[in-house]
Amino acid sequence: MIIEYCFGNYRSFKEKTQFSMRATSQTTFNDTLIRDFDERILPSSVIYGANASGKSNIISSLQTFREIVVAGSISNNTPSLSSLELCPFVHDENSSPIFWAIDFANNGKRFYYELQIKVGRLKKDNRLIHYESLSLVQNKKRIPIFTRTENNVQISKESKILDFMDMEDSLVKSLEDKLNDNLDSLELFLSRGFKNTISSDIADIVIDFFSQKLFAVKDFTQQSFNLRIQSEQEMGKNFSIWNGILDSFVKGADFGPQRIFFRKKNDDDDHAADMKLFSAYKNKDTNVFIPAEYMESKGTLKLIDFAIAFQTIFPQGGIFIIDEFDAALHPELVKGIISLFNNPKFNTKGSQLIFTTHNPIYLNNKIFRRDQIRFVEKDKATFQSALYSLADFGSTDVRNDENFLINYFKGKYSTLPYIDFASLLRKTVDNEDV
């Protein structure tokens, strides 16, 4: 569960930007909120913004943050991190670090993890971890576990943290010297030194949140959740479970009489770990198996992709952060999915959904609270993106019972995108005539 996320100097967001999932004092839909750690947490949020406003960069920032933590390194040798030099805000020569921080809960524990890295701007340069810290959050207060700078790492000697790590003060002091001697500028201390030397249990809870609970998909219409299996034994188990889910899902969604199921990409390889989706159609008395991408619509394939991840992760308290979630799905299907996250009787583990969209149909006070609706705008002079919510306007400017949709089209909440295509076309024609 995410309580709060903050990032800065990432793509169009030059300044530190806060994305809080804490509910405001608004009382509407109080029964839908997640209540844990003495907090009132939002189960879902929607983000609006014009093309190129920067809303996708919020998703991208979390995706990059996740990939770094899972990899345990910012090394250029990690394929998914080969383009970190494209991440800093490009319209400024300032060489400030890229900044991430997240307040989250996993396995009954709440942590605050912060990371700052220095990379070249638009060119390959020396990368290094500028700052890294992990804190335990209790009673809404942060208690540092470790703090790491470019050349030094310090482990907390506070009695509460020593008990939490199950270590003696003297041992921590002796290990701290060795850890400083071997501090690597490219490797996360969380994933290497802390995990291997201080507490693998604590590190595993944090890393598990990023690797197993946090799913950020930048382009839902093109990118899969990439479900993979790790062994032949697990393969057989998951094939059976997932195909059972798919079978009931396809029948319930009334996609047609065909069967849709997973099978190994290469039946001759007993150790294959990738799955492929197939459709089975009847041809007289025989079944014809055809790769699903040739027979099923993009919307059907994306809904199936989401359904498997949803069934696997939702019961564990997963966080789904999806760009253009409804691009290939009918809005009524998306509204149905939103209602599952907003239903505490169904969402018992604190799962969350955050997505971007252009569709104004969700600007509805019957679906979302004011603090669940966000907007991103880009300043035309500085090219910097800014994030805000309807709740930021105050209850006197935006009432809970007003028609969000109509007021949105009136431009009350944000500047609506407008391009004079007729003028562009005339200029094009005039240029061709010259």
Side-chain angles (χ1 to χ4, degrees):
M1 176 174 63
I2 292 178
I3 293 94
E4 188 172 276
Y5 171 60
C6 188
F7 66 104
N9 192 30
Y10 189 94
R11 300 285 173 88
S12 58
F13 289 88
K14 178 185 176 184
E15 305 299 331
K16 289 184 181 179
T17 300
Q18 186 181 82
F19 192 106
S20 178
M21 292 299 282
R22 286 189 183 89
T24 61
S25 58
Q26 179 184 343
T27 57
T28 310
F29 294 147
N30 253 348
D31 58 333
T32 68
L33 301 179
I34 302 167
R35 298 173 187 273
D36 206 353
F37 298 97
D38 198 28
E39 299 270 17
R40 298 161 65 249
I41 308 299
L42 300 173
S44 57
S45 184
V46 60
I47 307 171
Y48 285 93
N51 292 106
S53 63
K55 63 184 184 298
S56 295
N57 291 337
I58 299 173
I59 313 296
S60 174
S61 71
L62 258 168
Q63 191 177 45
T64 302
F65 190 22
R66 177 187 183 273
E67 288 171 351
I68 289 174
V69 175
V70 172
S73 169
I74 61 169
S75 169
N76 198 36
N77 296 327
T78 306
S80 60
L81 302 175
S82 60
S83 301
L84 280 178
E85 287 73 18
L86 302 180
C87 293
F89 183 73
V90 299
H91 303 292
D92 194 339
E93 296 293 336
N94 192 330
S95 59
S96 59
I98 304 175
F99 172 91
W100 294 276
I102 189 165
D103 185 340
F104 69 96
N106 189 29
N107 292 357
K109 303 295 182 183
R110 181 175 169 183
F111 296 94
Y112 177 86
Y113 180 64
E114 180 178 332
L115 178 66
Q116 299 180 38
I117 67 171
K118 288 183 177 180
V119 299
R121 188 179 69 91
L122 299 178
K123 65 177 182 179
K124 297 293 182 182
D125 204 346
N126 291 332
R127 299 178 175 184
L128 64 86
I129 296 170
H130 175 68
Y131 181 86
E132 181 186 8
S133 70
L134 178 68
S135 298
L136 178 68
V137 182
Q138 290 186 339
N139 301 319
K140 299 184 180 181
K141 294 183 179 179
R142 298 174 194 163
I143 310 170
I145 297 175
F146 72 75
T147 301
R148 177 257 183 91
T149 59
E150 292 183 13
N151 303 307
N152 180 263
V153 62
Q154 290 185 328
I155 313 296
S156 174
K157 315 300 188 303
E158 187 172 336
S159 59
K160 187 176 291 187
I161 296 301
L162 290 173
D163 291 341
F164 186 53
M165 297 187 300
D166 193 22
M167 296 192 77
E168 297 291 335
D169 188 340
S170 57
L171 178 59
V172 170
K173 288 179 179 177
S174 64
L175 291 174
E176 198 172 67
D177 292 335
K178 295 178 181 178
L179 289 168
N180 275 296
D181 289 339
N182 295 283
L183 196 61
D184 191 311
S185 63
L186 296 176
E187 292 189 344
L188 299 188
F189 181 68
L190 169 72
S191 308
R192 300 294 190 264
F194 185 78
K195 176 180 171 63
N196 297 333
T197 308
I198 303 298
S199 176
S200 61
D201 290 341
I202 296 174
D204 285 342
I205 294 174
V206 176
I207 296 169
D208 174 78
F209 170 79
F210 284 92
S211 64
Q212 301 301 319
K213 304 292 175 61
L214 180 61
F215 288 83
V217 180
K218 187 180 177 185
D219 191 340
F220 183 60
T221 60
Q222 297 182 13
Q223 185 177 342
S224 170
F225 281 99
N226 292 325
L227 290 171
R228 295 180 63 85
I229 40 192
Q230 305 301 322
S231 68
E232 188 177 356
Q233 181 181 3
E234 188 179 351
M235 179 186 299
K237 175 184 174 184
N238 285 339
F239 267 26
S240 176
I241 294 173
W242 291 340
N243 283 334
I245 294 169
L246 266 185
D247 192 52
S248 59
F249 181 77
V250 170
K251 290 177 181 177
D254 196 23
F255 286 156
Q258 75 275 22
R259 286 183 59 227
I260 302 177
F261 58 94
F262 286 109
R263 64 189 298 183
K264 288 182 292 185
K265 281 187 176 181
N266 184 356
D267 286 331
D268 297 329
D269 186 356
D270 291 335
H271 301 288
D274 288 325
M275 302 177 295
K276 189 173 179 65
L277 197 63
F278 283 85
S279 299
Y281 286 83
K282 282 283 187 181
N283 184 12
K284 295 182 180 180
D285 295 330
T286 61
N287 284 318
V288 179
F289 303 117
I290 307 169
E293 64 263 28
Y294 295 122
M295 302 301 292
E296 312 301 333
S297 71
K298 179 179 287 188
T300 297
L301 294 175
K302 296 316 298 181
L303 192 56
I304 288 172
D305 189 30
F306 176 78
I308 295 298
F310 177 82
Q311 185 71 19
T312 306
I313 303 155
F314 186 86
Q316 303 175 24
I319 301 100
F320 298 80
I321 304 168
I322 308 173
D323 191 24
E324 307 289 359
F325 182 39
D326 62 345
L329 302 179
H330 194 283
E332 289 302 314
L333 288 175
V334 176
K335 286 163 68 176
I337 292 169
I338 293 169
S339 70
L340 295 178
F341 285 87
N342 290 349
N343 186 345
K345 293 181 180 178
F346 189 78
N347 184 9
T348 60
K349 298 295 184 180
S351 291
Q352 293 169 303
L353 172 67
I354 299 168
F355 68 99
T356 69
T357 184
H358 290 287
N359 194 335
I361 196 172
Y362 313 111
L363 289 167
N364 188 325
N365 57 22
K366 305 298 182 186
I367 301 175
F368 286 123
R369 296 159 45 103
R370 288 182 292 115
D371 50 9
Q372 290 177 286
I373 299 173
R374 325 283 175 121
F375 296 94
V376 176
E377 283 199 351
K378 183 180 285 186
D379 187 280
K380 292 182 179 179
T382 64
F383 307 105
Q384 295 182 38
S385 295
L387 173 71
Y388 57 94
S389 78
L390 275 187
D392 293 336
F393 287 88
S395 57
T396 55
D397 293 327
V398 180
R399 301 191 318 274
N400 293 331
D401 60 349
E402 74 179 47
N403 192 313
F404 298 157
L405 180 62
I406 290 177
N407 286 332
Y408 171 72
F409 281 113
K410 288 181 178 179
K412 182 176 180 179
Y413 309 140
S414 67
T415 304
L416 295 178
Y418 174 74
I419 298 177
D420 188 349
F421 286 102
S423 296
L424 291 175
L425 183 59
R426 282 194 295 271
K427 288 180 181 179
T428 302
V429 172
D430 291 343
N431 289 336
E432 290 178 351
D433 291 339
V434 173

